[in-house]
Amino acid sequence: MHRAQKTSRFNQWLDRFILLMLVSLVLIFILYPFIQVIIRSFYSDQVFDFTYYRHLFENPTLITNSLKLACITTILSLISSLAVALYYYLSPESIRRVVSIILGVTMISPPFVTALSYITLFGRRGWITYGIFKLRLMPYGMWGVALMQMLGFLSMNSLILISSLNQFDEDIIKSARSLHASTTRTIIDIILPNIKPAVMVATFLTFIRTLADFGTPTIIGGNFTTLATEGYLSVIAQGNFQKAATINVLILIPAIVIFLIYNRQLMGSVSSSQKVDQSNGNLPRKGWLFQILRFVAIFMLVWISLQYLTILLSAFTKMQQGQRILTLINFKEAMPYIDSTIWRSVRFSLIAAFFGSIFGLLIGYYGVIREVKIMKWIDFIATLPYVIPGTFFGLGYILAFNHQPLYLIGTATIIVTNVLFKQLPFSSQMGKSTMQAIDRNTLRSIQDLGGEFSDVIRDGILPLSIRGLILSFMNAFISTMTTLGSIIFLMYPRHKVLTIVMFDVIARGRYDIGSVIAFYIMIICILVYLSINRLAKWVK
């Protein structure tokens, strides 16, 4: 009896400790940096200062450039992703499989890889512009940035829309066909209105991500600058943290407004975009609208495939005496840049993925199963990094952890912690979804047999959550391997990862080295994706 009481007290203590630790970590590593950026934007040397806000609104070029670019990219991205999603939905199984592979591979690519391939193909010495047509064009500026952002967002937006289409009630389509409705009218009058929530999610995510993207404008923007690029340069080139904080707060405002209004739909897209069912639209593939959709979709899929094939060719070829030859010299030249960086990137990604998956599962457990009241607020805070610009999150870590008692600047800990909590929204939503699918009676039966907190977790929660943990781990690993914005301000030379090195060499004009690094990142992510996906199927 005495031993049973000690075991019971230990489990109660363990339960409270884990809950307290979870709440504290979310508040310290998400909310605290968030608040620090907002405070810093209004203060200079501990004096209230509205100077940078006034300057930005008095000279609105950066704001108008950012909004103009975001609108153009959003429109182009929405049109292209709708065409791809509808083409997928209306196509036979063989075509769907090809589209899924293309979208899947391009989803796990490094950041700004489209900008790299754009320069390789259409730059002043581009393979197409100069190599074929002998033209010396300047493909930089706003439209080049918009086109590359459109390609960069194509895969995610298409998968969000495809997921919504696959949940569509096909009986409605069958009813329309029984009334002799054409494919064109069915798409316009039935399908599009019913996927409006997913369209809105894709629209808002594109708008937010365009505002926050500094990599693409920095590489191919030329003289065209945006709030995101200016915020990046304010830290890297000027060391002006108040100006950077002000810019990031301005970028944050539309993101937070959208997040508060469409919180449920946005977070639903986090998990739904990671899975693609295989339902069939059962619509005849004919009509003028289908022909347009097919043309646009095939064009976009070929274009994005060409962009990524260019990266591979650029990694394995080199110009010699006016001709491009196959060689491995680029890999040899890349070794000094990435010798120890590869394993460091993988190690950071594994740590962030493991702990992020566990934290997400615990947030789901305490929020859904235990229904702890404070977890509603913790869950809300945990989802904030999904819409916070990456540079905002990284800047927050600089401001929050550059003094005691948590001095983390210059350590590997701050990098791993940053990427862990940056990817936490997906893990927490996956944890919630997993907990909602668990039968409460199973857990009650463990307790009825005398099981304590540790028994419920070990014998009930973990075995029933394996698939969710695997998917969460896979997403966190790939996201960490390909992240840039949230960690670029936190890097010291001894802690650099592949994406940072890739950004540096591209900015210096070493596109061949950048292609090699992009190739390594893609191979690592694909291998992990295939391994984890096979494990998930085996568990299922």
Side-chain angles (χ1 to χ4, degrees):
M1 179 67 71
H2 181 67
R3 184 176 181 180
Q5 289 178 345
K6 290 181 66 175
T7 302
S8 179
R9 283 198 298 269
F10 171 77
N11 275 275
Q12 291 176 3
W13 176 86
L14 180 64
D15 182 19
R16 293 169 184 169
F17 173 77
I18 291 177
L19 178 59
L20 179 62
M21 179 194 67
L22 194 64
V23 171
S24 300
L25 289 174
V26 171
L27 294 178
I28 293 172
F29 291 106
I30 295 181
L31 185 61
Y32 180 51
F34 179 87
I35 294 173
Q36 285 296 307
V37 176
I38 296 176
I39 293 175
R40 186 56 181 268
S41 70
F42 290 104
Y43 282 89
S44 176
D45 297 326
Q46 298 182 341
V47 177
F48 185 83
D49 185 4
F50 204 70
T51 302
Y52 288 109
Y53 282 102
R54 185 170 60 251
H55 175 74
L56 288 170
F57 283 107
E58 288 176 353
N59 302 275
T61 302
L62 290 175
I63 297 176
T64 55
N65 281 355
S66 298
L67 293 176
K68 189 191 306 181
L69 176 64
C71 290
I72 294 172
T73 301
T74 300
I75 293 172
L76 293 176
S77 183
L78 186 61
I79 293 172
S80 58
S81 57
L82 265 174
V84 171
L86 289 170
Y87 176 64
Y88 172 94
Y89 184 67
L90 298 172
S91 296
E93 184 69 23
S94 57
I95 294 179
R96 289 184 174 199
R97 197 171 293 115
V98 173
V99 175
S100 296
I101 292 172
I102 294 174
L103 296 179
V105 171
T106 53
M107 266 284 292
I108 58 177
S109 64
F112 57 84
V113 72
T114 53
L116 172 59
S117 57
Y118 180 73
I119 294 173
T120 304
L121 291 174
F122 304 108
R124 295 187 65 183
R125 301 283 294 184
W127 295 3
I128 293 178
T129 51
Y130 182 79
I132 297 177
F133 298 105
K134 304 302 179 184
L135 300 175
R136 292 180 179 271
L137 300 179
M138 291 294 290
Y140 307 104
M142 183 185 70
W143 284 102
V145 175
L147 290 173
M148 291 307 98
Q149 287 178 332
M150 174 195 69
L151 281 182
F153 302 150
L154 178 68
S155 300
M156 171 64 83
N157 290 342
S158 297
L159 290 172
I160 290 173
L161 296 173
I162 288 172
S163 177
S164 179
L165 285 168
N166 286 335
Q167 298 170 17
F168 188 70
D169 187 357
E170 294 182 24
D171 290 337
I172 301 176
I173 295 179
K174 293 177 181 178
S175 299
R177 291 189 61 193
S178 67
L179 295 173
H180 306 291
S182 65
T183 300
T184 299
R185 295 314 312 174
T186 302
I187 293 173
I188 295 174
D189 299 332
I190 298 177
I191 296 179
L192 290 179
N194 278 278
I195 63 169
K196 184 179 177 181
V199 172
M200 296 299 290
V201 167
T203 300
F204 292 139
L205 284 179
T206 302
F207 191 85
I208 292 169
R209 293 161 70 193
T210 302
L211 287 177
D213 179 23
F214 71 92
T216 307
T218 299
I219 294 173
I220 62 174
N223 293 326
F224 179 79
T225 56
T226 63
L227 284 170
T229 55
E230 188 65 22
Y232 163 72
L233 293 174
S234 296
V235 176
I236 297 298
Q238 305 167 18
N240 191 332
F241 291 102
Q242 185 187 3
K243 182 180 178 182
T246 303
I247 290 173
N248 276 279
V249 169
L250 289 179
I251 297 174
L252 176 70
I253 291 173
I256 290 295
V257 171
I258 291 170
F259 177 71
L260 292 175
I261 297 174
Y262 292 94
N263 180 22
R264 183 172 300 179
Q265 294 92 327
L266 283 170
M267 296 319 302
S269 72
V270 176
S271 55
S272 66
S273 63
Q274 302 295 321
K275 55 185 179 183
V276 178
D277 297 330
Q278 298 296 324
S279 59
N280 197 323
N282 292 322
L283 272 175
R285 291 180 285 275
K286 60 183 181 180
W288 64 267
L289 182 56
F290 174 76
Q291 301 302 327
I292 293 175
L293 292 172
R294 180 166 61 180
F295 173 80
V296 174
I298 292 176
F299 178 80
M300 296 305 303
L301 292 169
V302 170
W303 189 3
I304 197 171
S305 300
L306 180 62
Q307 296 280 93
Y308 285 85
L309 287 173
T310 301
I311 299 298
L312 299 180
L313 289 175
S314 182
F316 286 94
T317 61
K318 203 171 187 68
M319 289 294 293
Q320 287 189 4
Q321 298 179 350
Q323 292 185 340
R324 187 163 292 277
I325 61 170
L326 287 173
T327 179
L328 295 177
I329 189 66
N330 293 333
F331 287 83
K332 182 178 180 180
E333 293 179 354
M335 287 308 298
Y337 296 93
I338 61 175
D339 191 20
S340 61
T341 308
I342 289 182
W343 304 116
R344 185 183 304 120
S345 300
V346 173
R347 186 169 66 251
F348 287 177
S349 299
L350 288 173
I351 295 172
F354 176 79
F355 286 103
S357 303
I358 298 298
F359 289 170
L361 184 71
L362 291 173
I363 289 174
Y365 170 72
Y366 283 106
V368 176
I369 301 295
R370 295 283 297 278
E371 298 181 348
V372 178
K373 291 183 179 180
I374 195 176
M375 292 309 296
K376 292 183 179 180
W377 289 102
I378 295 302
D379 178 57
F380 173 78
I381 296 171
T383 56
L384 284 177
Y386 188 64
V387 292
I388 293 176
T391 51
F392 185 107
F393 205 54
L395 181 62
Y397 271 57
I398 293 179
L399 299 175
F401 305 119
N402 65 355
H403 50 76
Q404 298 296 343
L406 274 177
Y407 185 85
L408 301 177
I409 297 298
T411 67
T413 302
I414 194 172
I415 300 169
V416 175
T417 305
N418 181 276
V419 294
L420 189 160
F421 286 96
K422 179 63 177 172
Q423 315 306 334
L424 189 60
F426 180 92
S427 300
S428 64
Q429 294 305 308
M430 183 59 68
K432 286 172 60 179
S433 300
T434 301
M435 293 303 109
Q436 289 167 353
I438 291 178
D439 186 358
R440 304 291 182 88
N441 292 325
T442 303
L443 304 181
R444 291 193 188 101
S445 65
I446 298 175
Q447 294 172 328
D448 291 341
L449 293 172
E452 299 285 352
F453 166 76
S454 58
D455 300 311
V456 171
I457 297 295
R458 184 185 64 247
D459 301 328
I461 298 298
L462 287 178
L464 297 173
S465 306
I466 294 297
R467 179 169 173 78
L469 283 170
I470 289 173
L471 293 176
S472 180
F473 180 92
M474 178 174 65
N475 176 81
F477 180 89
I478 293 173
S479 298
T480 303
M481 281 294 300
T482 59
T483 194
L484 174 70
S486 66
I487 60 174
I488 194 165
F489 298 149
L490 307 175
M491 283 293 169
Y492 275 52
R494 64 181 180 274
H495 297 312
K496 279 190 174 183
V497 294
L498 285 175
T499 49
I500 300 296
V501 176
M502 178 181 169
F503 183 78
D504 289 343
V505 298
I506 292 175
R508 293 200 297 266
R510 293 302 308 269
Y511 305 133
D512 48 355
I513 304 298
S515 298
V516 171
I517 298 174
F519 173 77
Y520 277 126
I521 295 175
M522 291 170 65
I523 290 298
I524 292 172
C525 290
I526 289 172
L527 290 176
V528 171
Y529 174 82
L530 293 176
S531 301
I532 298 297
N533 198 41
R534 180 179 292 273
L535 179 61
K537 290 180 178 179
W538 178 79
V539 170
K540 185 178 180 180

